[in-house]
Amino acid sequence: MSKRVRLFVSYDGTGYHGWQIQNNVLTVEQVITEALQKLTGEEIEIYGASRTDAGVHALQNVAVFDTESSIPAEKFAFALNSGLPEDIRITSSDEVDSSWHPRYVNSVKTYVYTLYTGKIMNPIRRLYTYHFYNKIDLDKMREASACLVGEHDFKSFCQSDAQVNSTVRTVLSIDIWEEGEEVKFKIKGTGFLYNMVRIIVGTLLEVGVGRKNPAWVKEVLEKKDRTAAGPTAPAKGLTLYQYEFEN
Amino acid sequence: MSKRVRLFVSYDGTGYHGWQIQNNVLTVEQVITEALQKLTGEEIEIYGASRTDAGVHALQNVAVFDTESSIPAEKFAFALNSGLPEDIRITSSDEVDSSWHPRYVNSVKTYVYTLYTGKIMNPIRRLYTYHFYNKIDLDKMREASACLVGEHDFKSFCQSDAQVNSTVRTVLSIDIWEEGEEVKFKIKGTGFLYNMVRIIVGTLLEVGVGRKNPAWVKEVLEKKDRTAAGPTAPAKGLTLYQYEFEN
């Protein structure tokens, strides 16, 4: 009897070339797939919710796979963790309907981007934050971010060589706050384009440091042109924080 | 003209066999010494305030060295950082009197020990926290810790093979609090014995989980015997947080 098992996956992206399996480099998907094949003895293919880039971290990514294994779905988390390196953890597992696929179900995704704003980088935060030592006006960034909330064509905020049918996406909220020497951006949405969160952060920072005024971000959005926006903020500051599924 | 330069040093201890130079292993002291020799062209010896163990982190350790270099003392931080790996940073540097030595001046040292208390370890915290998934009673640990504050013979809280003249030390405060899925112990004192903070944490946790009652910690202290105390908590949860000098 085949069943579909869902995994909630947490990882430190530092040591991986992102999620998706590629030739000649180590990826999170590959490491989990190999651990699953070893555990079940089956040829297993897994389907991830989000193909995070090299260096991006996840507190919660999601993946599914089909198996004939007699291991109960909810036991996979524990069974897999003993065969996985410590920088990848399965936080829980459960059984889902055989038609359930994380990419074809409505969901709300939350990303958190973190800056380290001290003059000298704190070594124990170096792998998880983007060092940005600059006076930043949080209120101006908040003002600028307001025009991005809602359903919009985010073509200006999508890496230009990305292959997509539509660049319309819905952002539900953008929150920006300070935590000690760090500044955090929490961005929720029902879908994101390639590099969209990192380009939004890079663009808001142009406003934060005063190179652009808040109204400029609306112009960027309307231009539907990647070159109008700010730079792509570095991968290591980004964490895929949470997936919430409609059912 | 020789001058004595003081460095404030921050590091991720993960990749090092502690502070002190040893044969055949990489240490923080060695890496800084080599960077200084390269920078100045001199044979330089540095003297650290605290010889942190393998895996222990520092937000602020302190070291001094004497140099004939024409580089102004306060420029050493910047000049050294460009030659150091990113897991070691000099946060600032200044000139001190030629007799000033961080081990022979009155100081208050602050250590922070961090537990990760979630069921499954968060991969991005795995190098900086001790995974301790257990119901912990913080109030009982606070009650137990009270007897350790003040001047006491901490022989029970010192690794038994340590060579010291006296095991009397003064602890100024112990604070314990929760921060999300983490529990933090902040311990301030004018001096610490070898492994003292880690043994205090390991001992308080015996109370926290209910294996011992709070009054037991006073008995441990009075026994002046390392075997009476709890285990030594793992190095990676410990950060040397701050040095405050009398002058």
Side-chain angles (χ1 to χ4, degrees):
Chain A
M1 251 310 269
S2 174
K3 65 180 170 237
R4 179 159 287 194
V5 177
R6 174 168 65 174
L7 304 174
F8 291 89
V9 188
S10 183
Y11 46 88
D12 178 336
T14 307
Y16 299 97
H17 281 259
W19 173 269
Q20 197 174 12
I21 288 182
Q22 296 165 59
N23 288 330
N24 304 320
V25 291
L26 193 67
T27 68
V28 177
E29 186 183 28
Q30 180 190 335
V31 171
I32 296 174
T33 301
E34 287 171 1
L36 266 173
Q37 291 178 344
K38 203 169 164 190
L39 183 65
T40 62
E42 300 171 302
E43 273 295 315
I44 282 188
E45 204 170 340
I46 67 174
Y47 301 93
S50 180
R51 294 178 191 147
T52 56
D53 272 335
V56 171
H57 314 288
L59 200 57
Q60 192 186 85
N61 203 342
V62 177
V64 291
F65 63 93
D66 294 321
T67 178
E68 309 272 336
S69 165
S70 62
I71 301 170
E74 58 282 1
K75 299 285 183 199
F76 268 95
F78 184 79
L80 272 173
N81 280 336
S82 61
L84 286 170
E86 288 189 347
D87 54 5
I88 301 178
R89 293 287 94 183
I90 311 300
T91 56
S92 69
S93 55
D94 56 11
E95 187 169 348
V96 288
D97 191 88
S98 63
S99 65
W100 195 92
H101 189 296
R103 296 179 75 87
Y104 308 126
V105 67
N106 290 336
S107 66
V108 172
K109 296 145 195 95
T110 305
Y111 283 93
V112 174
Y113 196 95
T114 309
L115 310 176
Y116 187 80
T117 62
K119 185 173 179 184
I120 310 283
M121 184 53 145
N122 178 346
I124 78 162
R125 296 296 290 154
R126 77 194 186 286
L127 305 172
Y128 313 107
T129 63
Y130 167 35
H131 191 198
F132 194 83
Y133 175 59
N134 237 311
K135 211 172 144 54
I136 317 175
D137 187 324
L138 267 58
D139 279 332
K140 285 205 170 132
M141 292 200 292
R142 289 181 188 116
E143 186 188 336
S145 71
C147 73
L148 302 175
V149 176
E151 186 183 274
H152 301 287
D153 186 340
F154 283 98
K155 193 164 185 220
S156 296
F157 298 90
C158 177
Q159 186 164 305
S160 46
D161 58 359
Q163 305 285 317
V164 280
N165 294 325
S166 161
T167 47
V168 174
R169 293 291 185 277
T170 301
V171 167
L172 298 170
S173 61
I174 302 180
D175 292 298
I176 305 167
W177 72 96
E178 232 168 331
E179 239 179 72
E181 301 232 74
E182 303 188 356
V183 168
K184 305 213 175 223
F185 300 75
K186 184 188 263 192
I187 307 188
K188 280 190 184 219
T190 56
F192 290 92
L193 298 163
Y194 189 51
N195 276 349
M196 181 168 147
V197 175
R198 290 164 56 191
I199 299 169
I200 288 177
V201 170
T203 302
L204 292 177
L205 283 172
E206 295 287 300
V207 174
V209 299
R211 267 196 293 272
K212 302 286 185 180
N213 58 51
W216 167 75
V217 174
K218 195 163 197 306
E219 292 168 32
V220 170
L221 184 68
E222 284 163 358
K223 277 193 180 144
K224 301 183 179 58
D225 174 6
R226 170 67 188 91
T227 65
T232 306
K236 66 180 186 166
L238 186 62
T239 298
L240 172 55
Y241 201 76
Q242 196 181 24
Y243 257 90
E244 295 161 279
F245 296 103
E246 204 168 57
N247 47 45
Chain B
M1 246 316 264
S2 172
K3 64 180 168 236
R4 179 159 288 193
V5 177
R6 174 168 65 173
L7 304 174
F8 291 88
V9 188
S10 184
Y11 47 87
D12 178 337
T14 307
Y16 299 97
H17 280 260
W19 172 270
Q20 197 175 12
I21 288 182
Q22 297 165 59
N23 288 330
N24 305 320
V25 291
L26 193 67
T27 68
V28 177
E29 186 183 30
Q30 180 191 335
V31 170
I32 297 174
T33 301
E34 287 171 3
L36 266 173
Q37 291 179 345
K38 203 169 163 189
L39 182 67
T40 62
E42 300 170 301
E43 275 294 316
I44 282 188
E45 203 169 342
I46 67 175
Y47 301 93
S50 180
R51 295 177 191 146
T52 55
D53 272 334
V56 172
H57 314 289
L59 200 59
Q60 194 186 83
N61 202 342
V62 177
V64 291
F65 63 94
D66 295 320
T67 179
E68 309 272 334
S69 165
S70 63
I71 300 170
E74 59 281 4
K75 299 284 184 201
F76 267 95
F78 184 79
L80 271 173
N81 280 336
S82 60
L84 285 170
E86 289 190 344
D87 55 4
I88 302 178
R89 294 288 92 182
I90 311 300
T91 57
S92 69
S93 55
D94 57 11
E95 186 169 348
V96 289
D97 191 89
S98 64
S99 66
W100 195 91
H101 189 297
R103 296 179 73 87
Y104 308 125
V105 66
N106 290 337
S107 66
V108 173
K109 297 143 196 101
T110 304
Y111 282 93
V112 174
Y113 195 94
T114 308
L115 309 177
Y116 187 79
T117 62
K119 185 174 179 185
I120 310 283
M121 184 55 145
N122 179 345
I124 79 163
R125 296 296 290 154
R126 76 193 187 286
L127 305 172
Y128 312 107
T129 62
Y130 167 35
H131 191 200
F132 194 81
Y133 175 60
N134 237 311
K135 210 172 144 54
I136 317 174
D137 188 323
L138 266 59
D139 280 332
K140 284 205 170 136
M141 290 200 294
R142 290 181 187 116
E143 187 189 337
S145 71
C147 74
L148 301 175
V149 176
E151 185 182 277
H152 302 287
D153 185 339
F154 282 97
K155 191 159 188 229
S156 296
F157 298 89
C158 177
Q159 188 165 303
S160 47
D161 58 0
Q163 304 285 317
V164 281
N165 294 325
S166 160
T167 47
V168 174
R169 293 292 183 276
T170 301
V171 167
L172 298 170
S173 62
I174 301 180
D175 292 298
I176 305 167
W177 73 96
E178 232 168 330
E179 236 179 77
E181 301 232 75
E182 304 188 354
V183 168
K184 304 213 175 222
F185 300 76
K186 183 188 264 192
I187 307 189
K188 280 191 184 218
T190 56
F192 290 92
L193 298 162
Y194 189 51
N195 277 348
M196 182 167 145
V197 174
R198 291 164 57 192
I199 299 169
I200 287 176
V201 170
T203 302
L204 291 177
L205 283 173
E206 295 287 300
V207 174
V209 299
R211 265 196 295 272
K212 301 287 184 178
N213 58 51
W216 168 74
V217 175
K218 194 163 199 303
E219 291 168 33
V220 169
L221 185 68
E222 284 164 356
K223 276 192 181 146
K224 302 182 176 61
D225 173 6
R226 170 66 189 93
T227 65
T232 305
K236 65 180 187 168
L238 186 63
T239 298
L240 173 55
Y241 200 76
Q242 195 181 24
Y243 257 89
E244 294 161 280
F245 295 104
E246 204 168 57
N247 46 48

